[in-house]
Amino acid sequence: MSPERIGVYVCHCGSNIAATVDVEEVALWASEELGDRGVVVARDYQFMCSSLGQELIEADIKEQGLTRVVVAACSPHLHERTFRTACKRAGLNPFLCELVSIREQVSWVHTDRAAATEKAMAVVSGGVERVTLHQPLEPLHVPIHPATLIVGGGIAGIQAALEIADSGYPVYLVEREPSIGGHMAQFDKTFPTLDCSACILTPKMVDVGGHPNVTLLTWSEVERVDGYVGSFTVTVRKKARYVDESVCTGCGICTEKCPVRVLDNTYEAGLGYRKAVYRPFAQAVPKYPVIDRENCTYFQRGKCKACQLFCPTHPKAIDFEQKDEILQFQVGNIILATGYDLFDCRRIPQYGYARLANVFTSLEFERLCNAAGPTGGKIVLRDGVTEPATVGIIHCVGSRDHNYNPYCSNICCMQSLKFGHLVKERTGAEVFNFYIDIRTAFKDYDEFYQRVLEDGVHFVRGRVAEVTDAARLPGEEGKLIIQVEDTLLGKQRRIPVDMVVLSAALQPRQDSTEVAYTFGIACSANGWFIEKHPKLDPVATMTEGIFIAGACQGPKDIPASVAQGAAAAARVLGRIHQKELALEPVRASIIAERCSGCRICNNLCPFNAISYDTARMITEINPALCQGCGTCVAACPSGAITGTQFSNEQVLAQLYGLLLLNVSSGPVQQPQPALVPA
Amino acid sequence: MNANGKPKLAMYWASACGGCEISTLNIGEHILTVDAVFDLAFFPCIADFKVKDVLGYPDGYIDLCLINGAIRNSENEEMVRLLRRKSKLLVAFGSCAYEGCIPALSNLTTRDATLRAAYLDNPSIDNPAGTLPQPHTAVPEGDLEIPFFYHTVKSLDQVVDVDYTIPGCPPEPHQIWAVLQVVVAALTQGGSLPPKGVLLGAGSVAVCEECALAKHEKAVARFYRPYQIRPEPGLCLLEQGLICMGPATLSGCGALCPQVGMGCRGCYGPLPGAEDQGMRMLTAIASILDVSGRPGDNELDLERKVEAAADTIVDPAGTFYRFSMAHSLLRRARTDGVEAAVPQPAVWS
Ligand SMILES: Cc1cc2nc3c(=O)[nH]c(=O)nc-3n(C[C@H](O)[C@H](O)[C@H](O)COP(=O)(O)OP(=O)(O)OC[C@H]3O[C@@H](n4cnc5c(N)ncnc54)[C@H](O)[C@@H]3O)c2cc1C
């Protein structure tokens, strides 16, 4: 006879469970068969998670003196908290409640009602055996450090930084490039309103740059993150700028005097040049330049120093002796806003990029249009002077294509429409858009599409097969010919143009998996950071205290990136205001007398909670760092590490129950050692 | 105790190699003390006793009975049941009696396959007629009966009630002597006996604690068999890719094997509370396996690398469950009900 008084509650979940599992039967079975395992009451109910359902449990705890509760319903991911809280309200320690899943693990994955019902009984039986061994636990309370780290200074990161800083809390904004701004700083006009990108972006950049609550760390990268939500220790490498920020006035004379011209593959997308000491663009924040060591004559050949010579400050702001700095600071929460990379169009050789001069990528085209760009905003061919008379814009390059990326890059339709409009506006050239579907689903987007249609841009529906300079027909000489099946006309077409623009896919940053690893979060199969819940928790991650915003979570436009930046900031501010966080008390601990110091577990902990005491020659676990993942518990060959709520005894008891070894009428007979077959 | 007042000692082997007896005799000159303290009641290895001698003893006549060997056949079972009845204290002595040891590895296959391996399919066997042992054979003189070869090898505690267990393959002589001293003290000077069911003659942590080799964080890219590399002296063998069961094995032996360059075989069995020694070691091995994967690596590639690294472990079941198969959670390979037709062992009275 079990000393516990256990209540079992079986949920119908409307028809989600009840359609496949005979829930009444399961409850009845539990009260009859599990009576001597401690079950004193077993009920079924339409929606256990409803207030009425919870009240049922609470009333039983009070009136029947329940000491344990098993709820058979959905996955613990969804409602574990609900039922634990209900128990707590009725005066029962919340950790004496076990939620077993008969929806995700039973009704949703089976069709045979009889078998599913039997499995649900087994699952309930496992829960009953396990909960008997549960211990009352108290959550760990940790204080939340009020500072926040934001990684990535694109529009999403900038927005998040401003929201938090304006609320009065400190922000560290870490940007890998010499200036914040991200991709948006490269554009001329932004869809759908065609406002000037710089005009709406730079005020925000300036705000961040001068904000008393923002510590701006550009030309910097996060090397390491230790700790846990509420108290992360961040290690940042601030790369040497070779410019003393405390003296530099940002006058730009150094750049002017620098004799080296370097092809700018980042900001100018390979279309323009910069100097070896440079600021990526005029409105860069901060205003201080950096010296690009690889291309600097002094660093490579030991002499030059023109920049230093001409630097007008006293003392000189150029400092060739500067070293990388390693900074360490504490933050309570982290927002990742690292954005995206553009698809490498050379991967589709038949489109001719990097082989045919007048095939451009979308980012190159943005630079062509930009008044501050290499052509001063003139849309011209690679020769720098000739205006195109016809332009072909190819959508979905590397998107919606199983050879490259299966997903839709979300912004390319609008961006291609924007390009069509800009070509029309600036050159009067003939424009062809080659599309599969036009996706203009957001506010004012379809209106913009209509406007571009009225501009007289041609639309050809079909995936382009090839871009070639091999003329076959009259009128094709000297042109780029776009070979496409026009699926609306139902025929093959060859359209000669002067310029081709490839609307390339948005891709996860090439180092996104490493960044995810550093911050302990996960990437989807495509490489985008995974949110905690696609609908209900879009900016949180499975790792407490780490949030994501902007295009690093998936391709998105500026309005959505800004909204996510603000949303992540709101989540963080909510956390900061709580001041303290209750952590699950599920933790691993080492029984010191059992540890032989074999050190198998020593490098396994993803949270760095494990350390080796060289004096005592045994291993220790820091309970504040442990997140209860169980890796070390499974690894310890001596059984010296136990996990609260996941002890050997609890897991084996659950198995024993699952196999129905606990009931006399179970399908499997209890194997006594004596019954091992002869 | 009989007239001369000396306690009675018995030692019997079931399915065993004889190593336990040798180890017992290896306690050296202490054997004289044993002889002085005890009367031998049954010890076929060193003295001429017959089963009928035991049958003649009253129940509980033997004070201390050490049984080594696993329960492989009906004769083993009959004998241990008989000895249980005749003994006050019954000790599972050594790994076979404790947890099945090498004989129990045959639980991974079938009785049939075991007999075939032993009598037919083996290069060193010359058995042209294909003769297999039969429980009953008719000969002109009558019916010849030999014990029935069981499907499943069992440990002693799976057949009879066991008072104490001494682990080891074989148990170390100094540990045997230490246990004997405790029992002798209890029997002759009224000292107290350890609580029933405990492991005697062993430590309480893993072998690593007794092992002087230097230990570090572990990341192993592949494993080697002992003949494939010459281990670097002074350094933990597991770190060098030699399977060493030390971390999953109860101490007490003094870490003899690893300190001479041979990975611990695991003969002292799992630590109390660590249910399944083989599984424990497997999860540990899986945890330290390092195929230098990077986040974002192709899953399939990683899987292939992990498999290739794991494939360097030859005979994993025999390696990780070398001693503990009978007690393992795996229990045995499926028998699909053939054991139902097993003859019941005779019960002697
Ligand atoms: C050609 C083109 C045209 C577009 N036009 C429009 C338009 O007109 N309207 C519109 O709404 N959207 C447009 N978009 C989409 C727009 O670019 C994105 O919505 C927006 O840039 C996303 O902002 P973000 O901050 O998430 O990322 P990003 O702009 O990519 O910024 C990320 C920042 O993080 C930094 N970073 C990355 N990794 C790290 C790291 N590990 N450590 C530190 N810093 C790091 C980067 O240097 C960068 O500064 C266009 C996109 C393209 C390709």
Side-chain angles (χ1 to χ4, degrees):
Chain A
M1 243 352 235
S2 164
E4 302 302 340
R5 296 179 60 78
I6 307 175
V8 170
Y9 300 87
V10 188
C11 182
H12 294 227
C13 195
S15 62
N16 271 313
I17 296 172
T20 319
V21 171
D22 187 340
V23 282
E24 287 96 352
E25 189 63 32
V26 174
L28 194 67
W29 178 87
S31 63
E32 283 171 1
E33 293 294 330
L34 299 176
D36 52 353
R37 307 304 302 164
V39 173
V40 292
V41 50
R43 303 179 192 278
D44 63 280
Y45 190 72
Q46 270 289 320
F47 290 105
M48 282 314 312
C49 62
S50 66
S51 328
L52 291 177
Q54 296 180 51
E55 280 161 20
L56 211 64
I57 301 177
E58 289 169 52
D60 281 352
I61 293 175
K62 289 187 197 135
E63 287 156 22
Q64 312 230 20
L66 298 186
T67 59
R68 298 284 191 276
V69 167
V70 173
V71 183
C74 52
S75 151
H77 267 309
L78 293 167
H79 274 304
E80 188 169 69
R81 259 241 308 270
T82 311
F83 296 114
R84 279 185 177 172
T85 314
C87 289
K88 192 171 167 193
R89 275 198 302 271
L92 188 66
N93 183 288
F95 294 91
L96 299 178
C97 168
E98 171 79 356
L99 177 54
V100 294
S101 166
I102 58 166
R103 194 178 73 168
E104 286 79 351
Q105 294 183 3
V106 182
S107 69
W108 280 358
V109 289
H110 297 297
T111 47
D112 177 339
R113 189 172 163 87
T117 304
E118 210 171 297
K119 180 170 167 188
M121 291 169 180
V123 170
V124 168
S125 154
V128 166
E129 294 302 327
R130 174 186 232 290
V131 84
T132 306
L133 300 180
H134 276 201
Q135 302 284 331
L137 301 173
E138 292 304 327
L140 265 71
H141 292 276
V142 294
I144 294 182
H145 195 283
T148 305
L149 166 70
I150 298 177
V151 185
I155 188 60
I158 290 175
Q159 184 69 29
L162 286 176
E163 300 277 355
I164 296 173
D166 285 348
S167 308
Y169 294 101
V171 169
Y172 295 91
L173 178 56
V174 174
E175 165 61 54
R176 124 185 330 165
E177 297 296 330
S179 168
I180 56 173
H183 281 102
M184 202 178 156
Q186 294 173 279
F187 310 154
D188 186 45
K189 297 276 186 293
T190 54
F191 61 74
T193 44
L194 295 178
D195 21 4
C196 147
S197 194
C199 309
I200 56 175
L201 173 67
T202 47
K204 283 185 179 279
M205 291 168 57
V206 172
D207 279 357
V208 167
H211 207 295
N213 289 332
V214 177
T215 308
L216 182 56
L217 299 166
T218 54
W219 203 232
S220 301
E221 272 179 75
V222 176
E223 296 225 308
R224 208 188 141 95
V225 178
D226 295 300
Y228 51 94
V229 56
S231 167
F232 292 106
T233 305
V234 182
T235 310
V236 170
R237 175 179 297 269
K238 195 166 183 292
K239 292 173 278 189
R241 266 190 134 89
Y242 306 109
V243 170
D244 184 344
E245 294 171 34
S246 64
V247 220
C248 175
T249 60
C251 68
I253 291 178
C254 51
T255 304
E256 213 173 277
K257 297 296 176 192
C258 175
V260 187
R261 261 166 42 108
V262 184
L263 189 69
D264 181 357
N265 277 319
T266 311
Y267 182 69
E268 292 293 5
L271 267 196
Y273 292 86
R274 60 164 169 80
K275 295 294 186 63
V277 53
Y278 72 106
R279 209 163 36 194
F281 49 100
Q283 307 97 317
V285 170
K287 62 189 172 192
Y288 318 113
V290 298
I291 295 182
D292 157 17
R293 225 188 132 102
E294 260 81 83
N295 291 298
C296 167
T297 315
Y298 170 72
F299 276 117
Q300 294 310 314
R301 275 183 256 140
K303 51 177 180 249
C304 177
K305 291 195 176 181
C307 49
Q308 196 176 49
L309 198 66
F310 289 98
C311 177
T313 62
H314 302 285
K316 301 275 187 192
I318 303 284
D319 173 9
F320 292 107
E321 301 308 313
Q322 218 175 50
K323 296 271 173 306
D324 286 7
E325 263 181 89
I326 302 291
L327 309 175
Q328 249 190 10
F329 48 85
Q330 297 281 117
V331 297
N333 293 280
I334 297 176
I335 299 174
L336 297 178
T338 50
Y340 62 93
D341 275 337
L342 204 68
F343 173 75
D344 180 356
C345 294
R346 286 171 303 187
R347 288 180 60 201
I348 312 187
Q350 64 271 31
Y351 286 177
Y353 179 67
R355 181 163 55 81
L356 303 173
N358 290 317
V359 178
F360 290 80
T361 67
S362 49
L363 271 181
E364 285 179 326
F365 190 79
E366 286 286 354
R367 296 309 300 152
L368 277 185
C369 296
N370 197 303
T375 59
K378 281 206 280 299
I379 299 174
V380 287
L381 298 184
R382 199 74 68 172
D383 63 10
V385 286
T386 320
E387 259 194 17
T390 34
V391 178
I393 300 169
I394 303 179
H395 295 218
C396 299
V397 175
S399 308
R400 304 183 70 195
D401 183 336
H402 285 276
N403 297 312
Y404 308 102
N405 296 303
Y407 54 81
C408 165
S409 288
N410 186 305
I411 60 105
C412 330
C413 279
M414 281 301 284
Q415 164 245 289
S416 304
L417 294 172
K418 173 176 81 175
F419 289 177
H421 173 81
L422 291 176
V423 173
K424 277 278 170 209
E425 183 185 81
R426 302 203 181 163
T427 67
E430 197 87 347
V431 182
F432 293 88
N433 267 259
F434 300 89
Y435 70 101
I436 308 177
D437 298 293
I438 291 286
R439 295 182 169 177
T440 49
F442 293 94
K443 189 174 176 184
D444 293 337
Y445 282 15
D446 214 61
E447 291 86 330
F448 185 71
Y449 176 30
Q450 295 307 324
R451 177 173 166 189
V452 174
L453 280 172
E454 283 159 24
D455 285 344
V457 171
H458 306 293
F459 286 86
V460 178
R461 187 175 189 275
R463 189 185 276 291
V464 169
E466 188 186 21
V467 176
T468 175
D469 58 354
R472 273 200 280 159
L473 304 172
E476 289 184 353
E477 297 83 14
K479 299 268 185 186
L480 294 172
I481 303 102
I482 296 176
Q483 170 84 47
V484 63
E485 179 190 348
D486 186 328
T487 58
L488 294 181
L489 290 182
K491 66 173 199 188
Q492 287 289 335
R493 294 177 70 180
R494 287 171 68 81
I495 299 175
V497 296
D498 297 319
M499 173 189 254
V500 171
V501 181
L502 303 178
S503 293
L506 270 50
Q507 282 193 333
R509 290 273 177 198
Q510 75 186 21
D511 62 347
S512 67
T513 44
E514 274 121 74
V515 172
Y517 185 72
T518 306
F519 292 90
I521 63 166
C523 291
S524 70
N526 290 321
W528 303 104
F529 296 157
I530 301 184
E531 62 279 6
K532 190 164 186 180
H533 192 285
K535 292 152 224 166
L536 303 180
D537 217 347
V539 295
T541 65
M542 290 306 254
T543 308
E544 290 279 321
I546 313 265
F547 298 87
I548 50 179
C552 61
Q553 180 258 2
K556 58 180 60 64
D557 54 18
I558 295 166
S561 301
V562 170
Q564 282 206 336
R571 294 294 309 275
V572 168
L573 287 170
R575 275 281 163 73
I576 297 174
H577 276 269
Q578 287 169 11
K579 296 208 162 54
E580 205 183 60
L581 201 71
L583 293 184
E584 280 256 318
V586 174
R587 291 286 178 276
S589 58
I590 292 190
I591 309 165
E593 312 81 67
R594 276 273 192 89
C595 176
S596 69
C598 75
R599 306 195 62 179
I600 292 230
C601 61
N602 281 194
N603 53 355
L604 299 181
C605 181
F607 309 99
N608 296 314
I610 295 184
S611 58
Y612 180 70
D613 181 336
T614 39
R616 294 166 68 207
M617 298 196 24
I618 59 171
T619 293
E620 289 168 343
I621 295 179
N622 179 342
L625 293 179
C626 173
Q627 300 282 299
C629 72
T631 306
C632 60
V633 182
C636 177
S638 311
I641 311 184
T642 60
T644 7
Q645 223 59 336
F646 288 92
S647 69
N648 253 355
E649 292 73 23
Q650 287 166 338
V651 174
L652 288 169
Q654 187 165 18
L655 283 174
Y656 176 76
L658 274 169
L659 296 172
L660 296 176
L661 302 175
N662 54 345
V663 293
S664 49
S665 63
V668 187
Q669 286 301 309
Q670 178 169 346
Q672 292 296 324
L675 291 182
V676 168
Chain B
M1 287 177 217
N2 67 1
N4 69 20
K6 275 190 181 182
K8 304 288 171 286
L9 174 72
M11 183 159 188
Y12 183 68
W13 45 23
S15 175
C17 68
C20 286
E21 274 82 1
I22 294 174
S23 199
T24 307
L25 299 178
N26 253 350
I27 60 177
E29 76 274 11
H30 299 307
I31 200 78
L32 300 175
T33 317
V34 172
D35 181 55
V37 171
F38 286 104
D39 264 346
L40 288 190
F42 189 56
F43 203 151
C45 175
I46 57 169
D48 187 14
F49 285 98
K50 296 286 184 266
V51 174
K52 73 173 184 329
D53 299 327
V54 182
L55 285 168
Y57 299 147
D59 287 0
Y61 172 80
I62 302 167
D63 293 280
L64 176 64
C65 177
L66 311 176
I67 293 185
N68 63 85
I71 312 305
R72 167 78 278 183
N73 60 33
S74 56
E75 190 241 0
N76 300 150
E77 181 162 353
E78 286 160 20
M79 282 304 295
V80 302
R81 284 190 190 280
L82 175 66
L83 286 166
R84 171 70 274 185
R85 200 145 48 78
K86 303 292 178 188
S87 308
K88 290 199 189 74
L89 290 178
L90 186 85
V91 177
F93 188 98
S95 177
C96 292
Y98 169 30
E99 47 177 359
C101 194
I102 307 287
L105 281 175
S106 69
N107 293 355
L108 287 166
T109 173
T110 60
R111 170 184 193 269
D112 197 42
T114 306
L115 289 176
R116 290 191 72 85
Y119 292 96
L120 303 172
D121 308 332
N122 203 312
S124 63
I125 283 171
D126 182 24
N127 181 2
T131 311
L132 286 175
Q134 303 299 326
H136 294 275
T137 313
V139 289
E141 294 80 4
D143 180 44
L144 270 186
E145 190 191 348
I146 60 168
F148 181 79
F149 189 85
Y150 285 165
H151 293 274
T152 302
V153 174
K154 288 179 273 191
S155 59
L156 188 60
D157 70 339
Q158 289 172 335
V159 176
V160 294
D161 190 36
V162 167
D163 295 301
Y164 301 120
T165 299
I166 304 180
C169 181
E172 281 304 309
H174 73 278
Q175 294 284 18
I176 299 173
W177 176 235
V179 174
L180 286 175
Q181 279 176 299
V182 172
V183 177
V184 166
L187 292 177
T188 59
Q189 295 144 34
S192 66
L193 282 167
K196 187 178 155 150
V198 297
L199 282 173
L200 297 177
S204 58
V205 279
V207 169
C208 304
E209 203 198 45
E210 300 178 325
C211 176
L213 299 178
K215 297 162 200 79
H216 310 90
E217 292 189 358
K218 297 180 189 5
V220 182
R222 61 152 296 172
F223 291 93
Y224 299 93
R225 302 184 74 187
Y227 74 88
Q228 289 174 311
I229 57 166
R230 191 183 288 270
E232 196 168 307
L235 185 63
C236 168
L237 298 174
L238 198 51
E239 283 164 33
Q240 306 187 52
L242 287 165
I243 301 265
C244 176
M245 293 281 286
T249 305
L250 192 59
S251 59
C253 59
L256 296 175
C257 301
Q259 298 191 96
V260 294
M262 172 59 74
C264 166
R265 316 276 84 193
C267 75
Y268 267 59
L271 279 83
E275 260 65 19
D276 188 299
Q277 189 185 19
M279 182 189 71
R280 282 287 175 178
M281 196 60 206
L282 261 173
T283 53
I285 292 278
S287 305
I288 59 171
L289 201 63
D290 180 15
V291 295
S292 25
R294 294 286 311 144
D297 280 0
N298 180 298
E299 296 252 335
L300 262 172
D301 281 353
L302 273 180
E303 202 177 305
R304 255 180 252 123
K305 282 194 206 162
V306 168
E307 262 168 30
D311 280 347
T312 58
I313 303 173
V314 179
D315 184 17
T319 303
F320 299 120
Y321 288 99
R322 185 178 279 121
F323 299 94
S324 61
M325 194 62 216
H327 270 189
S328 74
L329 291 176
L330 294 178
R331 292 178 187 273
R332 60 151 304 124
R334 283 174 59 164
T335 55
D336 292 324
V338 289
E339 74 273 16
V342 169
Q344 283 301 302
V347 179
W348 283 313
S349 47

